[in-house]
Amino acid sequence: MAREFQRGHKAKVSDLTAGTDLYVGVQIAGPGLTFDISCFGLDANEQLSDDRYFVFFNQPKSPEESIQLLGAQAGDTESFRVTLDRVPASIHKLSFTATIDGAGQMSQIGPGHIRIVAGGEEVVRYAFTGAEFTTERAVMLGDFYLKDVWRFAAVGQGFDGGLDALLKNFGGEVAEEEQPQQQAPAAGAPGFAPPPQAAAPAPSFGAPAPQAPAPAPSFGAPAPAPAPAAPQPPQYQQPAAPAPVHAAPTMAAPLAPPAPAPYGQPPQQPSYGQVPGQYPGQVPPPAPAPGGYGQQPSYGRVPGQMPGQVPGQQPGYAPQAAAPGAGLAAALQPYKEAPTGSRWTPQNQQLMRVDLSMGGQAVLARQGSMVLYQGKVDFSYKGAGFAGRIVGNATGQEMQLMRCTGRGQVFLAENGAHLHAIELQGDAICVSAENVLAFDESLQHEVRRIEGHGIPGGALFTMQFQGTGTVIVKTHGVPVVLPVTPTTFADSNAIVAWSAASQVILSSQVRLRRNAYPGHSGETVNLQFRGAPGNFIVVQPYEV
C-alpha cells in the first residue's frame, strides 16, 4: 500500500522499498496550460555542475542511463526511470520539477501528484493542488537526495519564473540558439519522442521474462513517427564555475543579502544557528564537519542562512533607511514578511513563523506566544496529564502548552527573546524548559534528571527532545556555542542547552572553611560537561 506523503515529509528509500530500479510518475494539468517536466542531477553543493544530468524533453537520458525520460503513460503526464545504484558518485540529488511553458500560474492547476513505483507496486504518493500556490510558474515537486543513503523528500515548493529561471537557480545558464531553424538533434543528445500511450499500470522494472507481453514500456524501442516538428528550444548549458551554496536538502536561499551587525555587537560573535557544516563557536571555522546532534557541535541550523552572514543577525532583517521621498511602500519594504518554502521561517531575531500546512503535523507552543496567524488555524489546550503535572511541579520543568492545528501560518514570539530553530533528524538535545518556545508534536520530550550534591533537592532537571522535527529555543541575547572539553563548566542558571550525549556532573565550590566567614563568590554550583569530541553546550549572556 502506498504511503501518502505531505509536503516536507522525508524517508529513506530503503524504508519504502528494497528495489533501486524505480518508476517516478508526475501528474500535473491545468486548463490551457502546457508543462515542461524535468529532472536535475545536482552535485553536493546543489548545483548543476554537469549539464548532461539535466534530463528534459531535449535530453531524455543521462550518459549512463541511470535517469531516463519515458513520456506520458499509466495516467501520468510525464514519467522517469531512475536506477539509484547506477547514479554516479558525483550526483547527490535528483530534483524533479514542473514548469509552465508560456503564460499561466501554478494556482491554476488541478489536483496532481508525484509518485514512486517499485516492482509494479506504488510505494509513495505526494498529492498537491493549485490552492497551495499563487503566482509561481514552476514547482519543485520531490527530491531523491543522498545523505549516507538515498532518501526521498516531498518538496512542493513554488518558484517564480519558468524553466530558464529554475535552471539558473541550480547554477546553469541559458544560451540562445543562433540557428533556430536547425531541427536535427545534436549527437549524444537524442531527440525526444514520447513512447506509446499505455492504459496499463506503471511498469515493473527488472521483471523476469522480458519477452512476454507486458504493460511496461520497452526501453530503447524505436519511437513512433514524430509529430510535426516544433521550433528548436534553446539549449541549456551550465556555467564554468557555479557559485557554491549550502547543501541542506530542500532549503531555499534567503531573498535578501546579509545585513550589517547591530550596533554594539562585535562582528566576530558566532551565530547561534550557524551555516550547516560550520564548526560552532569558532571564528573562522577550522573545517566543515558533517551534521548530527550529539556527534559534533553543529548546534541548530537556521534554514536558509547564507554563508558569510554576520553572526547573530538574521538575513535581510536590518531595516535600511528609506531614501527621502521614497514613499510609504519603500519605508515598509525592509519589514515585509520573509517568504520561503520552509516549515519554520525566522521573520527577524524575535519572531518565528510556522506553516502548519507543511508537514501535516501539529505544533505545540507556549500558551500566549501567538502574536498573529493567517488561514484556518485551531488552538486548543494541551494538558500534560496527571502524571505530567506531578513531574512538572516536582522538577520545575512544567510547560503550559497550546496545540496549533489546521492549514495556515502562525507567528510566535515571547517578551522579545531571541528565537532559534533547531532541526533534529533522529538525534536528541537537552534544553531547559524555560528556554523552549515551541516544537513539532512529532518530537518526543521528557524530563531528564541530573543528580548531584550540594544543591537544594539534590538534583537538577532538564527537558530532552528526540526524534525528527524542529524545536524553537529562546534566549536572552545572542548565545554562544562551545565544544565540550574536560574543563568545561557552565553556570546552571545561564546554560540553555547541550548535546544529549554529553555527561553532566554537578560541581560545587562550597567549602566549609569558606562558609565559616561571611560572604562568598556567588558561584557555588556549576555544571561540568564531559564527553567525546563533537559534543557542545549553549550558554546565553544572561542568568535566569
Side-chain angles (χ1 to χ4, degrees):
M1 180 177 180
R3 290 179 56 178
E4 295 288 342
F5 270 27
Q6 301 292 328
R7 181 164 55 175
H9 278 188
K10 306 173 184 178
K12 296 179 180 179
V13 173
S14 58
D15 292 341
L16 305 174
T17 175
T20 58
D21 196 359
L22 307 176
Y23 170 94
V24 179
V26 175
Q27 199 280 324
I28 185 170
L33 300 180
T34 303
F35 294 91
D36 294 327
I37 302 174
S38 314
C39 176
F40 290 83
L42 308 177
D43 59 20
N45 293 321
E46 296 192 2
Q47 296 291 285
L48 184 65
S49 56
D50 188 343
D51 60 356
R52 298 177 301 168
Y53 290 89
F54 174 34
V55 177
F56 67 119
F57 56 87
N58 202 40
Q59 185 168 263
K61 61 182 178 180
S62 60
E64 71 294 322
E65 299 186 355
S66 62
I67 314 165
Q68 301 178 47
L69 189 72
L70 305 180
Q73 59 178 309
D76 295 322
T77 310
E78 188 60 89
S79 60
F80 299 81
R81 182 182 187 180
V82 177
T83 312
L84 291 177
D85 54 0
R86 295 178 59 187
V87 175
S90 59
I91 303 299
H92 287 242
K93 177 184 285 191
L94 304 178
S95 182
F96 295 89
T97 66
T99 57
I100 297 177
D101 183 10
Q105 300 176 348
M106 283 296 172
S107 58
Q108 301 172 247
I109 66 174
H113 65 252
I114 180 172
R115 61 175 182 149
I116 300 175
V117 177
E121 179 183 357
E122 183 175 314
V123 294
V124 168
R125 176 183 290 256
Y126 161 50
F128 53 86
T129 65
E132 302 176 27
F133 310 105
T134 54
T135 60
E136 298 94 333
R137 299 188 61 248
V139 60
M140 290 178 273
L141 299 171
D143 295 338
F144 287 108
Y145 65 97
L146 188 61
K147 186 177 180 182
D148 300 330
V149 296
W150 282 104
R151 304 165 187 256
F152 178 76
V155 182
Q157 178 180 327
F159 191 89
D160 291 334
L163 183 60
D164 295 353
L166 191 61
L167 183 69
K168 293 178 181 178
N169 177 68
F170 289 131
E173 62 182 14
V174 181
E176 295 296 333
E177 184 80 21
E178 295 184 358
Q179 298 178 349
Q181 70 276 10
Q182 183 178 1
Q183 298 180 3
F192 170 74
Q197 297 292 328
S204 173
F205 297 123
Q211 68 278 6
S218 175
F219 299 110
Q232 184 78 5
Q235 299 295 318
Y236 295 96
Q237 301 177 0
Q238 102 283 355
V245 297
H246 67 80
T250 71
M251 293 297 182
L255 302 180
Y263 177 77
Q265 179 177 328
Q268 70 275 13
Q269 178 70 25
S271 172
Y272 184 70
Q274 76 278 2
V275 179
Q278 178 177 340
Y279 192 84
Q282 301 288 332
V283 180
Y293 298 97
Q295 287 78 33
Q296 78 292 323
S298 60
Y299 178 77
R301 180 175 67 237
V302 178
Q305 185 171 5
M306 295 180 66
Q309 175 186 331
V310 177
Q313 184 77 23
Q314 299 294 347
Y317 300 133
Q320 304 293 329
L328 180 61
L332 297 180
Q333 179 65 29
Y335 306 97
K336 292 185 66 176
E337 178 183 0
T340 69
S342 303
R343 175 174 166 84
W344 294 91
T345 307
Q347 302 300 300
N348 52 48
Q349 290 186 346
Q350 291 94 10
L351 186 64
M352 185 70 63
R353 183 190 72 189
V354 55
D355 190 344
L356 297 176
S357 61
M358 297 181 63
Q361 58 182 318
V363 166
L364 301 181
R366 282 188 175 274
Q367 293 180 11
S369 61
M370 184 276 294
V371 298
L372 170 71
Y373 74 90
Q374 298 170 316
K376 182 174 177 57
V377 180
D378 295 324
F379 300 93
S380 59
Y381 172 71
K382 175 64 176 178
F386 178 77
R389 289 196 299 270
I390 294 296
V391 173
N393 292 332
T395 62
Q397 299 295 303
E398 182 179 14
M399 293 184 290
Q400 300 295 328
L401 299 174
M402 61 180 179
R403 190 170 186 264
C404 311
T405 57
R407 297 185 64 85
Q409 299 82 39
V410 181
F411 294 76
L412 303 171
E414 186 174 78
N415 297 331
H418 287 221
L419 304 181
H420 316 272
I422 302 173
E423 181 183 347
L424 300 180
Q425 297 182 353
D427 35 18
I429 189 172
C430 294
V431 187
S432 173
E434 179 65 26
N435 296 96
V436 177
L437 179 71
F439 54 94
D440 287 323
E441 192 177 36
S442 59
L443 291 176
Q444 302 175 5
H445 61 285
E446 61 182 359
V447 177
R448 183 174 177 180
R449 178 185 179 93
I450 306 170
E451 297 186 355
H453 300 286
I455 58 176
L460 288 178
F461 301 89
T462 187
M463 296 296 299
Q464 177 172 300
F465 293 86
Q466 187 171 11
T468 301
T470 300
V471 56
I472 306 301
V473 174
K474 60 188 183 78
T475 64
H476 292 273
V478 179
V480 60
V481 182
L482 297 173
V484 171
T485 68
T487 57
T488 299
F489 296 82
D491 191 295
S492 59
N493 292 318
I495 190 74
V496 174
W498 62 86
S499 51
S502 300
Q503 180 184 5
V504 187
I505 304 173
L506 263 295
S507 174
S508 175
Q509 293 195 4
V510 176
R511 301 292 186 269
L512 180 61
R513 183 177 179 182
R514 293 180 184 178
N515 290 346
Y517 302 95
H520 59 83
S521 66
E523 305 295 341
T524 57
V525 178
N526 296 317
L527 297 179
Q528 181 181 7
F529 293 86
R530 299 176 181 176
N535 288 282
F536 60 88
I537 63 169
V538 183
V539 179
Q540 62 186 356
Y542 178 89
E543 288 197 8
V544 179

